[in-house]
Amino acid sequence: MQAAVMSSHYWANKIKDGSFESTDAASFCSDLRLLCKDDVPIADSSFDFYEPPYVLDISSRGRFFPATLLVEGTTLAMANPSYAPAPARPFLPYSVSQQLKINTQSLPELKKMFGIRDGSNMAINLQKAATTCSAPDHTCVSSIKSMHELIVSKLGTSSVRMLQTILPQGLASTFNATIARVDKISKTRPETGDEEPNVSCHSTMFPFQLYSCHSLPNTQIFTVGFDTVDHTDGKSILVDYVAACHVDTSTWNADFPAFKELGMQPGKGAVCHWIGGLDIAWVRE
C-alpha cells in the first residue's frame, strides 16, 4: 500500500514539474494500472443534448420516451446497457488527477503520457473526451475525491445520493419488460414547483475512469422497477433502472434525435431517457 502511495506522488510530481517524458509512459501506465491501449472500443458521444453534430443511433430500443409512459403496467422495449461492458479501468489517485489537464489544448501531451498512437481508437476517444471536457457546461473528474468535491459544490450540500442502473446477469441484450413500480427520487421545491438541482456524470472511454459531469436543470430523476424474464432460466425477475426526465426542453436544438423519435418539438413535453452503463445521477438526499 505504501509503495502505491509513493508511486502516485512520484508521478504527480513528474507531471507537475514538467519532467515527464514519453519514455515514462509504460511505467506510468503500469504503476497506476491504466488502460494504455490503442485497440479499445470507440465511445458513443450520445449525451450532447444541445448542439449538433449528434452521434446517436436513434434506433436503439428504449432510448427516449415521453414521461407519460412512466406508469405501472406499461410494457417497454428495453436495452441492456451492461451487455457489452467497457474495459475495466481505475480512478486516478487524487494527487495525480489534480495535475492532469484534460482539454483540447492538452491532447498532444496526453497521447504522449499514455503512449497512444495517432489515429488509433484510443486516440479518437481521447479527442472526444478532450472536446467534451472543454465544453463550458461540463466538468471532468478522474478521482473519487474530485467527483465528491464537484457534486457537493453543484448540489450545495454534502448529503447526496448516488443513483446508478445496476442490472443482474441473465438479461438479454434487448428485452420487453413491464413497469411494476415508479419512484420519484429527485425533489421539487414546494414554494416554486421547480425541480431541485441534480447532476449527471457520464463515463467516457479513457485510460482511467473519467466522468463528464453536468447539471440537470428542471429534470426529474426516477427509479423504475420492471418485471421481466431471466433469459437463462426463464424465471421472472425484478430489475431497476434509473430514468431522467427533462421537464423543460425549450432550449434544446429542434434537430435533436429525441424529437424526431418521439414526434415532439422543443418545450412541448418532457423527454426521458435511461441512465445506464457506468453513468451516474446525483441528487440531494
Side-chain angles (χ1 to χ4, degrees):
M1 177 63 70
Q2 185 64 26
V5 172
M6 290 177 61
S7 178
S8 65
H9 285 292
Y10 169 78
W11 291 116
N13 288 331
K14 282 188 75 73
I15 297 170
K16 182 178 181 179
D17 64 24
S19 63
F20 193 104
E21 302 291 342
S22 57
T23 52
D24 292 321
S27 296
F28 175 62
C29 293
S30 176
D31 284 354
L32 300 186
R33 301 183 180 182
L34 308 184
L35 184 69
C36 299
K37 297 173 61 176
D38 290 320
D39 186 18
V40 296
I42 296 178
D44 172 18
S45 302
S46 60
F47 281 94
D48 182 357
F49 283 147
Y50 307 106
E51 296 296 335
Y54 304 112
V55 183
L56 177 66
D57 177 8
I58 63 171
S59 66
S60 298
R61 300 181 81 191
R63 183 56 150 189
F64 296 107
F65 55 93
T68 52
L69 291 184
L70 283 184
V71 293
E72 293 182 19
T74 301
T75 298
L76 298 176
M78 302 297 295
N80 181 355
S82 305
Y83 201 74
R89 293 146 293 146
F91 279 103
L92 285 179
Y94 182 72
S95 59
V96 177
S97 71
Q98 293 301 98
Q99 302 305 322
L100 282 184
K101 294 181 175 60
I102 302 174
N103 52 47
T104 51
Q105 289 73 32
S106 65
L107 194 56
E109 187 66 21
L110 291 171
K111 285 191 285 189
K112 180 184 81 170
M113 187 173 294
F114 305 129
I116 301 303
R117 177 177 51 83
D118 285 343
S120 66
N121 283 4
M122 183 61 92
I124 294 172
N125 289 328
L126 294 184
Q127 175 69 60
K128 286 174 174 281
T131 300
T132 299
C133 294
S134 299
D137 56 343
H138 285 70
T139 302
C140 288
V141 293
S142 55
S143 73
I144 294 174
K145 183 177 180 180
S146 297
M147 181 178 287
H148 180 261
E149 290 175 345
L150 176 69
I151 298 306
V152 169
S153 173
K154 283 187 173 292
L155 296 185
T157 176
S158 59
S159 180
V160 299
R161 180 176 177 183
M162 185 184 85
L163 298 164
Q164 194 171 26
T165 298
I166 300 176
L167 301 178
Q169 295 182 346
L171 288 179
S173 60
T174 59
F175 57 95
N176 292 329
T178 301
I179 295 177
R181 172 181 46 78
V182 179
D183 295 315
K184 184 173 181 288
I185 306 301
S186 57
K187 296 179 173 61
T188 304
R189 293 191 176 103
E191 65 276 11
T192 64
D194 295 332
E195 296 301 314
E196 288 194 351
N198 308 304
V199 177
S200 182
C201 293
H202 305 290
S203 177
T204 66
M205 178 55 66
F206 215 72
F208 46 80
Q209 284 287 6
L210 179 69
Y211 277 84
S212 167
C213 300
H214 61 95
S215 297
L216 295 174
N218 293 313
T219 299
Q220 298 174 337
I221 306 297
F222 298 87
T223 57
V224 183
F226 284 96
D227 281 324
T228 188
V229 175
D230 186 321
H231 84 290
T232 60
D233 59 17
K235 294 181 179 179
S236 295
I237 54 175
L238 183 70
V239 297
D240 283 328
Y241 272 69
V242 179
C245 290
H246 302 271
V247 178
D248 182 7
T249 61
S250 59
T251 61
W252 291 18
N253 190 298
D255 293 328
F256 184 66
F259 298 128
K260 179 179 179 180
E261 185 176 350
L262 301 178
M264 294 170 55
Q265 296 178 344
K268 300 300 182 181
V271 170
C272 302
H273 63 84
W274 305 111
I275 295 179
L278 296 175
D279 295 349
I280 302 170
W282 294 90
V283 301
R284 289 177 174 174
E285 188 65 74

